[in-house]
Amino acid sequence: MSIERVREFFKRYGLESKIMEFAASSATVALAAEALGVIEARIAKTLSFKKDDSCILIITAGDAKIDNTKFKSEFSMKAKMLSPEEVITLVGHEIGGVCPFGINENIPVYSDISMKRFDTVFPACGSSNSAIEFTCEELFHYSDGVKWIDICKGWNE
């Protein structure tokens, strides 16, 4: 199970006990916000995009949407999300539990500035009923972030 992979990842930092598991699904931004009792914007969703024969991950605020023009400007390619099968194969987690922890090797992870307006955010932990609370800087650190980017719309309008 993917959550076990994430639990093992966090053991090296002594953070495995911070993982929260819910009786109900947290597979979507709305369900995660409901399970956690927070606004949807504070859910840190991890999106996976095709890049050559591999992928990149982008973590955004729950209310943010990818701006295709900004994406193309940042990455010099069109935004093409992975299929559910590609997500499992390339990332190592299933849709609904995709997160930047315990992922396959050599996947660049970027964080969008849409999250920086919050003290803490809640990314998934490899399953459709889990999350962990981190500051934005902790999330960037533990996801081995490449850099902060500005490629989203809808969150600051």
Side-chain angles (χ1 to χ4, degrees):
M1 245 177 100
S2 222
I3 191 166
E4 293 309 320
R5 190 173 176 183
V6 174
R7 199 178 314 281
E8 283 302 312
F9 172 83
F10 281 127
K11 272 187 184 174
R12 68 180 112 163
Y13 304 106
L15 298 173
E16 69 275 13
S17 64
K18 284 189 66 166
I19 297 173
M20 297 173 268
E21 291 186 78
F22 314 108
S25 174
S26 60
T28 67
V29 168
L31 290 172
E34 186 177 323
L36 288 157
V38 300
I39 60 171
E40 291 182 14
R42 287 188 60 205
I43 303 304
K45 60 185 177 183
T46 305
L47 305 173
S48 50
F49 293 91
K50 189 89 170 136
K51 181 163 171 77
D52 303 321
D53 293 332
S54 188
C55 66
I56 61 172
L57 297 182
I58 300 173
I59 312 166
T60 75
D63 61 345
K65 294 177 177 29
I66 297 296
D67 181 312
N68 289 320
T69 303
K70 288 180 175 182
F71 185 99
K72 190 169 185 174
S73 176
E74 178 68 37
F75 296 107
S76 301
M77 63 182 195
K78 288 178 90 171
K80 183 176 189 287
M81 293 192 76
L82 299 180
S83 70
E85 296 78 23
E86 289 173 317
V87 172
I88 294 168
T89 303
L90 295 175
V91 180
H93 298 309
E94 290 186 25
I95 300 285
V98 177
C99 65
F101 320 115
I103 58 176
N104 294 338
E105 291 185 13
N106 301 316
I107 299 174
V109 178
Y110 299 87
S111 294
D112 188 78
I113 63 167
S114 58
M115 295 183 290
K116 283 195 167 188
R117 63 199 145 129
F118 302 110
D119 291 334
T120 61
V121 292
F122 298 88
C125 285
S127 70
S128 61
N129 67 329
S130 63
I132 193 165
E133 184 176 15
F134 280 138
T135 66
C136 290
E137 289 309 315
E138 287 170 331
L139 176 56
F140 187 81
H141 171 74
Y142 292 117
S143 67
D144 197 22
V146 174
K147 72 176 188 173
W148 285 95
I149 57 175
D150 178 7
I151 62 159
C152 287
K153 62 183 177 182
W155 64 273
N156 60 351
E157 297 164 0

